[in-house]
Amino acid sequence: MRGRRPLYIVMFLQDIIPSIKEDTMKKVILDCDPGHDDAIAIMLACASSELEILGITTVAGNQTGEKTFTNALKILTLIGEDLPVARGFDKPLFQELVTAPEIHGETGLDGADFPAPSVKPCEAHAVNFIVETLLSADDPVYLVPTGPLTNIAGALLLAPGVKEKIKRIVLMGGGVLESNKTPAAEFNIYVDPEAAKIVFESGIPITMVGLDATNKALFSLEDIEALSRLSGKVSTVAARLLTFYAEQLEKFSGVRGAYLHDPLTVAAVIDPAVLDTRFLHVDIETKGEFTRGATVVDLYGVTGKKPNAEVSFGLDLSKFKGLVFDAIKRLDERWA
């Protein structure tokens, strides 16, 4: 009998371990504008055993609000997830909408075929969904915006009291030395700089997963080919998406591969050690003639302002790629 556990102890552990695991999962609302890299971010989030996805909200950005909302429903249908999906703002708070068809195509997910959506959407506006979900949550929630910050700012304006229910905002946006929409600005922040200013000045803990890290989160053409060779239902679509995305990026900037900006943001919630960050102060430029949407990062503390964000500079690329491949393999197995 030595070394053997009594049967009742084994049965007890089997009963309680799932509930312990559920209690330790990080609760997340994913706010996105799918978007090729958003699609991979949703796949990574839904496949993770570390995250409990409370819902997905969508915003106009990479494409119009109608298209990003439909795309979120298509992605969930593909991977077999039935989550609440709420449509948010179709334009920024004060600016005219800017989209990125030159990168993401006319649908926002050009390059691959998706099943018709079977996931039933929420009737609530995304802002109301975020507020109600936060207020009803037993534990603080991670907000993970991977598009313009319009919905998040809207929720903070509508119900400032929800701040205490937010564990952290882990967002894709901005850059210290890197930009992609203008010489000064990253796309998400550029689209709605006023919303970004509200978020960064909210006092909520923030991790800024910006271009200085995400431009290093490059899936090479060889990585995309390896994904294709998995030949599963989800991996096949993911590889086709990334092939189109890589082709557009090469035309636009000469890069050979696909930047996985948004999946790195999700990965940073799953495992914060995937990022190399510094705690710094970030201001958002909203009025500059040439610098609208710039994230002005006080690298040397010259302003004397208190740091308000963990700012990313690099990543563990091997760990990150492993998380993405493992997630897509798990999603393939659902349909095997």
Side-chain angles (χ1 to χ4, degrees):
M1 294 296 293
R2 188 174 176 180
R4 295 178 62 187
R5 296 189 184 96
L7 181 59
Y8 71 87
I9 294 179
V10 174
M11 294 174 66
F12 173 72
L13 290 173
Q14 288 174 338
D15 287 339
I16 68 168
I17 286 174
S19 62
I20 292 173
K21 180 65 177 177
E22 187 173 313
D23 288 343
T24 59
M25 293 171 73
K26 297 173 181 176
K27 293 178 170 55
V28 168
I29 298 173
L30 183 61
D31 184 74
C32 55
D33 61 338
H36 292 70
D37 52 332
D38 300 81
I40 307 300
I42 291 171
M43 293 176 187
L44 177 57
C46 290
S48 174
S49 60
E50 304 298 319
L51 307 183
E52 179 186 352
I53 312 302
L54 302 181
I56 291 178
T57 53
T58 65
V59 66
N62 286 326
Q63 259 297 350
T64 63
E66 180 180 1
K67 291 178 181 179
T68 59
F69 175 64
T70 300
N71 288 345
L73 298 174
K74 288 180 177 179
I75 295 160
L76 291 179
T77 300
L78 170 73
I79 64 177
E81 287 282 343
D82 188 6
L83 294 170
V85 182
R87 178 175 172 176
F89 282 104
D90 289 340
K91 66 180 295 296
L93 294 179
F94 300 107
Q95 308 285 348
E96 292 302 313
L97 177 64
V98 176
T99 60
E102 71 280 6
I103 300 297
H104 297 283
E106 287 304 312
T107 67
L109 288 177
D110 281 13
D113 294 326
F114 282 83
S118 61
V119 177
K120 186 177 180 180
C122 294
E123 294 183 3
H125 188 280
V127 168
N128 292 326
F129 176 84
I130 291 169
V131 169
E132 291 166 8
T133 303
L134 289 173
L135 291 177
S136 63
D138 295 330
D139 301 308
V141 175
Y142 287 83
L143 298 185
V144 186
T146 61
L149 291 165
T150 319
N151 289 335
I152 308 303
L156 297 178
L157 291 172
L158 178 65
V162 300
K163 292 180 184 180
E164 64 187 39
K165 303 300 292 283
I166 300 171
K167 178 76 172 178
R168 176 171 288 271
I169 298 174
V170 184
L171 64 94
M172 192 282 127
V176 182
L177 302 174
E178 299 280 347
S179 61
N180 61 6
K181 181 58 183 176
T182 72
E186 177 274 331
F187 177 82
N188 285 342
I189 307 298
Y190 177 86
V191 170
D192 198 342
E194 287 81 12
K197 187 174 182 67
I198 290 167
V199 171
F200 275 87
E201 293 181 355
S202 67
I204 298 166
I206 291 172
T207 299
M208 184 180 102
V209 187
L211 294 176
D212 304 272
T214 66
N215 278 352
K216 297 171 183 142
L218 184 72
F219 248 47
S220 68
L221 300 181
E222 292 75 18
D223 293 325
I224 297 170
E225 176 60 29
L227 195 61
S228 180
R229 287 197 299 271
L230 295 177
S231 300
K233 180 174 180 178
V234 176
S235 55
T236 296
V237 172
R240 289 173 180 167
L241 282 175
L242 293 182
T243 297
F244 176 89
Y245 185 39
E247 289 170 352
Q248 299 308 108
L249 287 171
E250 185 171 13
K251 292 176 189 176
F252 185 73
S253 60
V255 67
R256 289 181 57 79
Y259 294 131
L260 295 191
H261 306 289
D262 298 339
L264 182 58
T265 308
V266 172
V269 182
I270 295 170
D271 183 359
V274 77
L275 286 180
D276 172 25
T277 67
R278 290 174 59 188
F279 193 37
L280 301 167
H281 186 85
V282 181
D283 279 313
I284 307 298
E285 177 58 68
T286 61
K287 299 177 181 178
E289 180 181 357
F290 304 109
T291 55
R292 164 188 159 180
T295 42
V296 183
V297 180
D298 188 2
L299 279 170
Y300 306 108
V302 296
T303 65
K305 294 180 179 179
K306 183 179 178 181
N308 61 349
E310 291 286 347
V311 178
S312 60
F313 287 84
L315 77 156
D316 184 331
L317 184 57
S318 177
K319 178 181 288 187
F320 170 63
K321 287 184 179 181
L323 287 171
V324 173
F325 270 99
D326 288 347
I328 293 176
K329 287 176 183 176
R330 285 196 294 273
L331 295 175
D332 274 345
E333 289 171 358
R334 293 183 179 183
W335 303 101

